[in-house]
């Protein structure tokens, strides 16, 4: 981390705000999973202790908001790209630290707690795996002990998201950490490639990323249809395999990370171009101006901020309202208006439609 990134309290404040946004996304995703557990309990042949009656009392719009918590996944990956670009790349597009220093900091942040949790939940994983009807490695049946050993090795190295059968084999949520580990690994390379792009090319990349991200799920839905469950039990193996491949593989989520990096760069440059923004030490002037404008601090150039629209609302405010409308939109809008089955809606929203 560069000295300039942490020396200014307003820059630290911006990262705290991003942490707040990340917390809201985490809560949204957590409630989504609670609702999924409740739905599974309701569909059980016998009354299930997993059911959460509170969800049955929610109004329709709030229930839809909870159900679409899966959209928070792409936001997490986008925020990761934004934060790393903000902290580790200077105004010229160069890394502010050596790659090995960056990787060492990321490894020490990710792995100790991750490994400790794997060991802690091992007894539960053994019991869970013993009850699975299908334990395979690329379709070949394996013993429970082999399944557990492969799953632990992949999870411990955060490579499980590359193996559809094992992405959810141990600590389920860490498939997303597996993606983040890949983003960390290629971050220096990604930064160098973006540095070599023209401004026009970067803009086109940002515009095309949401569209490109929709290609894998669209192909999967066209080939495999909607027949999907969480685990590899009770469905045609290769349908589930390719579905998990699309949903978990880091390479298909990497565009969201790149988009986050580009958004951070656009924010830096846009607000650095506001009249009077050149004041201040070196490349920090751009982010400082952004933070002053966002916070509304005394003397901030909010009135000259290009992102402000009529009535004092920012582009972000308008976008947030639009996003909220999408997240609570009734099912008939998708099924009748767009003629999309329910599962099309989930994959398309999650993988790219809400990215802009």
């Amino acid at each position: 981390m560069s000295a300039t990134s942490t020396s200014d309290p307003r820059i630290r404040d911006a990262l705290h705000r991003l942490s707040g946004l990340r917390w809201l996304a985490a809560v949204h995703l957590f409630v989504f999973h609670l609702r999924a557990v409740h739905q599974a309990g309701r569909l059980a042949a016998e009354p299930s202790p997993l059911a959460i009656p509170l969800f049955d009392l929610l109004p329709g719009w709030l229930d839809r908001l909870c159900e679409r918590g899966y959209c928070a996944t792409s936001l997490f990956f986008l925020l990761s790209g934004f934060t790393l670009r903000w902290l580790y790349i200077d105004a010229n597009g160069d890394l502010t630290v050596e790659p090995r220093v960056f990787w060492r900091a990321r490894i020490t942040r990710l792995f100790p707690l991750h490994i400790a949790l794997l060991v802690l939940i091992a007894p539960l994983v053994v019991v869970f795996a013993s009850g699975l009807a299908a334990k395979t490695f690329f379709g070949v049946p394996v013993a429970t002990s082999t399944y557990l050993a492969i799953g632990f090795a992949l999870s411990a190295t955060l490579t499980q998201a590359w193996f559809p059968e094992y992405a959810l084999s141990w600590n389920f949520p860490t498939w997303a950490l597996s993606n983040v580990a890949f983003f960390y690994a290629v971050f220096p390379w990604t930064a160098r490639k973006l540095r070599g792009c023209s401004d026009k090319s970067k803009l086109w990349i940002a515009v095309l990323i949401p569209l490109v991200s929709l290609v894998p799920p669209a192909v999967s839905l066209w080939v495999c249809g909607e027949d999907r469950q969480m685990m590899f039990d009770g469905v045609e193996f290769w349908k589930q395999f390719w579905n998990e491949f699309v949903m978990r593989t880091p390479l298909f989520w990497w565009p969201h990370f790149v988009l986050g990096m580009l958004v951070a760069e656009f924010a830096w440059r846009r607000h650095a171009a506001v009249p009077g923004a050149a004041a201040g030490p070196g490349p920090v002037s751009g982010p400082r101006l952004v933070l002053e404008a966002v916070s509304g601090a005394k003397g901030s150039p909010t009135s000259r901020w290009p992102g402000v629209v009529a009535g004092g609302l920012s582009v972000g405010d308008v976008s947030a309202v639009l996003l909220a409308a999408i997240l609570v939109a009734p099912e008939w809008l998708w099924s009748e208006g767009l003629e999309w089955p329910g599962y099309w809606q989930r994959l398309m929203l999650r993988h790219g439609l809400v990215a802009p």
Side-chain angles (χ1 to χ4, degrees):
M1 189 180 300
S2 67
T4 54
S5 297
T6 55
S7 60
D8 192 291
R10 287 167 292 184
I11 291 180
R12 292 199 300 270
D13 185 50
L15 298 179
H16 289 324
R17 295 179 188 192
L18 286 183
S19 296
L21 180 59
R22 190 179 289 110
W23 182 85
L24 290 174
V27 171
H28 197 195
L29 200 56
F30 177 67
V31 171
F32 159 74
H33 283 98
L34 283 182
R35 183 186 179 279
V37 167
H38 169 67
Q39 292 296 107
R42 288 186 59 188
L43 296 175
E46 299 180 0
S48 171
L50 299 178
I52 306 173
L54 177 63
F55 283 103
D56 293 327
L57 304 177
L58 298 179
W61 66 270
L62 187 53
D63 184 62
R64 290 190 294 271
L65 179 64
C66 295
E67 192 272 334
R68 289 166 191 164
Y70 49 77
C71 292
T73 301
S74 52
L75 176 59
F76 274 119
F77 297 148
L78 194 149
L79 284 174
S80 295
F82 187 102
T83 302
L84 292 184
R85 169 63 178 82
W86 193 273
L87 285 177
Y88 288 101
I89 299 180
D90 63 22
N92 297 318
D94 296 317
L95 284 172
T96 58
V97 296
E98 291 294 325
R100 65 177 182 275
V101 175
F102 170 79
W103 287 324
R104 183 167 62 245
R106 297 297 97 189
I107 289 173
T108 56
R109 182 182 179 90
L110 271 184
F111 280 90
L113 180 59
H114 169 61
I115 298 298
L117 284 174
L118 286 182
V119 174
L120 183 64
I121 67 173
L124 297 175
V125 175
V126 171
V127 173
F128 179 78
S130 300
L132 289 177
K135 294 179 281 286
T136 60
F137 184 72
F138 286 95
V140 179
V142 297
T144 300
S145 58
T146 303
Y147 175 84
L148 287 169
I150 294 174
F152 181 82
L154 294 176
S155 294
T157 55
L158 287 178
T159 55
Q160 72 271 34
W162 296 95
F163 297 82
E165 295 158 284
Y166 292 86
L168 304 179
S169 61
W170 275 66
N171 190 359
F172 288 8
T174 58
W175 76 266
L177 280 185
S178 180
N179 276 257
V180 170
F182 169 72
F183 302 156
Y184 291 163
V186 300
F187 175 67
W189 177 86
T190 305
R192 287 195 300 270
K193 291 300 181 181
L194 289 178
R195 187 184 187 280
C197 294
S198 66
D199 292 346
K200 184 176 181 180
S201 296
K202 291 176 182 177
L203 182 59
W204 273 110
I205 292 172
V207 170
L208 292 176
I209 277 177
L211 299 177
V212 172
S213 297
L214 292 175
V215 173
V219 172
S220 175
L221 289 167
W222 178 62
V223 173
C224 301
E226 298 181 64
D227 194 10
R228 175 193 176 269
Q229 293 184 11
M230 186 175 178
M231 305 302 294
F232 281 76
D233 287 343
V235 296
E236 185 178 334
F237 174 82
W238 287 110
K239 282 187 176 182
Q240 181 68 359
F241 183 93
W242 291 116
N243 188 285
E244 291 296 309
F245 177 71
V246 168
M247 290 187 65
R248 315 293 176 190
T249 303
L251 196 59
F252 297 143
W253 287 110
W254 175 66
H256 286 79
F257 178 80
V258 174
L259 181 59
M261 292 179 64
L262 290 173
V263 169
E265 180 173 345
F266 295 158
W268 185 305
R269 292 189 177 189
R270 181 174 189 175
H271 298 289
V274 176
V284 183
S285 59
R288 280 181 175 169
L289 186 58
V290 175
L291 300 178
E292 289 174 353
V294 171
S295 65
K298 184 177 180 180
S300 68
T302 305
S303 60
R304 294 172 289 163
W305 191 22
V308 173
V309 297
L313 294 175
S314 71
V315 174
D317 295 331
V318 176
S319 300
V321 172
L322 178 61
L323 177 60
I326 292 174
L327 295 180
V328 301
E331 298 294 338
W332 61 261
L333 180 64
W334 310 98
S335 59
E336 299 179 17
L338 299 177
E339 298 184 352
W340 281 358
Y343 197 53
W344 272 84
Q345 167 198 324
R346 171 179 293 192
L347 278 186
M348 290 304 183
L349 285 178
R350 186 173 187 251
H351 283 261
L353 276 184
V354 297

